[in-house]
Amino acid sequence: MPTRRSFLSLGAMTAAGIVTVPDATSAQAIDALKQMKPPAKPVIVTRVTGDNTIQDAYKMLLDGADTLSAAHHVCLGRENDPTDHSVGIGGLPNEEGVVELDSCCMHGPTRSAGSVGGVQNIKNVCLVARKVFEHTSHVMLVGKGAERFAVDLGFPSENLLTEDARKVWMLWKEGNSQMDWWGPGITGPQWKDPYGDRPAPKPTMDLHGPTSQLRPGTIPRHPTPDWAEFIRARALTLARMADDLDIPAANRQFAVEQILWPSTGTIHVSAINPKGEISGATTTSGLAWKIPGRLGDSPVIGAGCYTDQDIGSAGATGSGEENIKVAGAHTIVELMRQGLTPHDAGMETLRRIVRNHNGDMTRIRLLDMEYYILRKDGAYAGCSLWSTSPTGKPRAFAVHDGTYRVEKCAYLFEGSSIAWPPF
Ligand code: ASP
């Protein structure tokens, strides 16, 4: 395995003095990968689920279960839980109040991939994605076709919009309806900073430098105190409206948060066993209040999930559009192929997102991105654009390698994103 120093010496220094990662896989990196042994025990890396499915999936792996089946066991826990509003039944709907689910997976041992997008009425889309490669010669099915395929294979058809989710959607419609996903795109020339009165911090890091140049203290801080005041006032208004809509007191805080910070949830799971068989799966209800038919990164092989049996696996949660533009999961796996550690591969991919906006923090502060990364030797990382969620919780991920634990993500910027779309 090349050291960071030797990796940097591989970087091509262009005439403009910009350091880039090498274009071709270096002989050193290939050798290092060949010598890497699978972990002695299984390893699972995933979003924190708050249930026992990670522990159960780990037992499945110890008993010799297929790595994709174990990953899907964790996904199913979330898809079947009506109180998880980012995945499966209970997921927050699109702008018309219809739940549309996306999922994809890759099975390392057979080098297979399957994906479904924009699926209505079927809650276990992670399993439908697997059925795509098990029962067809296709990789991706969307919309009505994917739904019919699932029904044909015996998946039950049911209403995925729970009462709780419907009420949160009503709160969004009534409290926020003129502030939606319509309008000039974030990269369009007509785009205007919706928070123009709240100056964004300037990035002070070298966007094109090597990953090792990222140092604490060179990153902007957010949010500002007047921002916190603004949020508080808005939250109080929404809480009163939630009361009028009969949203029970216990659910009110969640409902208000969903309007202030539309849900980014999703679940990605990567799993490897001691035979070196590795798989990855991602499932989501996508962005809350999205335009009907919108697909994010979660059903896109190479963006929401990518697994290469020879290298490792990665997956994503967060701003899907940004992740598609950097082919995030695939980029991470390719960077690991070139010799970067899981941590450095994740951080470099996050910086590509920042570079896509030329470091413009008025845009970047509207985005979120978290990566879950597992290399074929069991090395892993969780990397996030921001250090905390908008509600102030540290960005974290779950890992089980014989011991279950929650670890904080490495991050690019201190603080959190702010609401997008604006309100
Ligand atoms: N990445 C998902 C999407 O864009 C959303 C999320 O992770 O919250 O659909």
Side-chain angles (χ1 to χ4, degrees):
M1 178 73 200
T3 60
R4 175 175 285 177
R5 184 184 293 263
S6 68
F7 165 72
L8 290 177
S9 71
L10 297 171
M13 190 71 85
T14 68
I18 294 171
V19 178
T20 58
V21 291
D23 285 339
T25 304
S26 74
Q28 273 165 292
I30 291 172
D31 272 359
L33 278 166
K34 274 194 194 142
Q35 279 160 28
M36 254 176 222
K37 299 263 177 298
K41 288 193 268 180
V43 184
I44 300 175
V45 176
T46 175
R47 191 196 96 188
V48 181
T49 57
D51 58 20
N52 288 328
T53 53
I54 302 172
Q55 288 87 336
D56 295 343
Y58 199 81
K59 284 192 205 114
M60 287 170 67
L61 290 175
L62 290 175
D63 290 344
D66 170 59
T67 45
L68 185 54
S69 301
H72 275 157
H73 181 78
V74 180
C75 295
L76 286 171
R78 300 295 82 226
E79 287 182 351
N80 292 334
D81 180 354
T83 68
D84 187 324
H85 293 293
S86 67
V87 179
I89 192 162
L92 292 177
N94 65 22
E95 64 176 13
E96 290 176 355
V98 178
V99 181
E100 290 183 331
L101 305 181
D102 306 326
S103 182
C104 77
C105 59
M106 289 189 82
H107 184 246
T110 57
R111 299 187 189 262
S112 305
S115 157
V116 289
V119 183
Q120 300 176 9
N121 304 316
I122 308 286
K123 75 177 167 200
N124 293 142
V125 280
C126 70
L127 297 183
V128 185
R130 181 173 193 157
K131 295 284 182 201
V132 172
F133 71 73
E134 287 180 341
H135 289 265
T136 80
S137 305
H138 302 318
V139 167
M140 203 165 189
L141 295 177
V142 299
K144 284 279 161 236
E147 186 181 340
R148 202 169 318 128
F149 171 75
V151 170
D152 288 351
L153 285 170
F155 286 85
S157 182
E158 58 195 303
N159 177 17
L160 303 180
L161 186 67
T162 58
E163 251 323 86
D164 284 351
R166 187 188 64 76
K167 285 186 174 168
V168 183
W169 171 65
M170 281 307 295
L171 181 63
W172 171 76
K173 260 179 102 68
E174 293 191 7
N176 212 35
S177 54
Q178 68 277 52
M179 301 293 198
D180 53 27
W181 291 108
W182 293 96
I186 196 167
T187 54
Q190 309 295 338
W191 189 84
K192 285 202 187 63
D193 178 7
Y195 301 109
D197 55 332
R198 284 173 202 84
K202 297 258 177 294
T204 52
M205 67 178 162
D206 175 1
L207 293 175
H208 301 279
T211 307
S212 57
Q213 283 185 359
L214 286 175
R215 285 187 206 94
T218 62
I219 45 183
R221 291 195 156 265
H222 206 76
T224 54
D226 74 319
W227 175 250
E229 202 37 61
F230 176 71
I231 289 284
R232 207 167 297 128
R234 178 69 182 154
L236 281 175
T237 310
L238 286 167
R240 274 193 293 272
M241 291 176 72
D243 192 21
D244 290 346
L245 281 167
D246 287 334
I247 293 179
N251 297 352
R252 219 166 284 160
Q253 184 178 340
F254 169 79
V256 169
E257 283 173 7
Q258 288 309 305
I259 312 308
L260 294 172
W261 304 289
S263 196
T264 60
T266 305
I267 177 152
H268 169 80
V269 190
S270 282
I272 189 165
N273 65 18
K275 286 192 258 173
E277 294 165 342
I278 187 162
S279 294
T282 302
T283 185
T284 191
S285 51
L287 291 181
W289 337 129
K290 62 193 171 186
I291 296 170
R294 174 262 186 194
L295 294 180
D297 57 332
S298 306
V300 178
I301 304 282
C305 176
Y306 193 76
T307 305
D308 182 331
Q309 179 70 25
D310 298 333
I311 315 293
S313 181
T317 61
S319 307
E321 284 74 2
E322 297 307 316
N323 193 36
I324 291 172
K325 288 188 282 182
V326 297
H330 181 263
T331 295
I332 289 170
V333 171
E334 285 308 300
L335 290 173
M336 291 198 288
R337 189 194 307 277
Q338 291 171 15
L340 268 69
T341 62
H343 167 275
D344 287 357
M347 299 306 272
E348 167 57 21
T349 305
L350 289 170
R351 289 197 312 148
R352 289 187 186 191
I353 292 176
V354 175
R355 280 204 290 274
N356 274 349
H357 295 287
N358 210 16
D360 177 356
M361 294 310 289
T362 57
R363 289 174 162 85
I364 293 154
R365 65 179 169 170
L366 305 176
L367 311 176
D368 258 322
M369 204 68 241
E370 299 85 43
Y371 289 125
Y372 308 84
I373 309 164
L374 179 58
R375 201 172 54 187
K376 66 181 245 188
D377 61 345
Y380 62 87
C383 297
S384 170
L385 192 57
W386 295 97
S387 61
T388 68
S389 71
T391 52
K393 295 193 195 99
R395 288 288 184 194
F397 65 103
V399 57
H400 201 325
D401 56 5
T403 313
Y404 171 81
R405 58 194 176 273
V406 172
E407 293 188 14
K408 283 190 187 158
C409 291
Y411 58 85
L412 211 50
F413 298 121
E414 191 97 26
S416 68
S417 64
I418 58 179
W420 175 248
F423 42 80

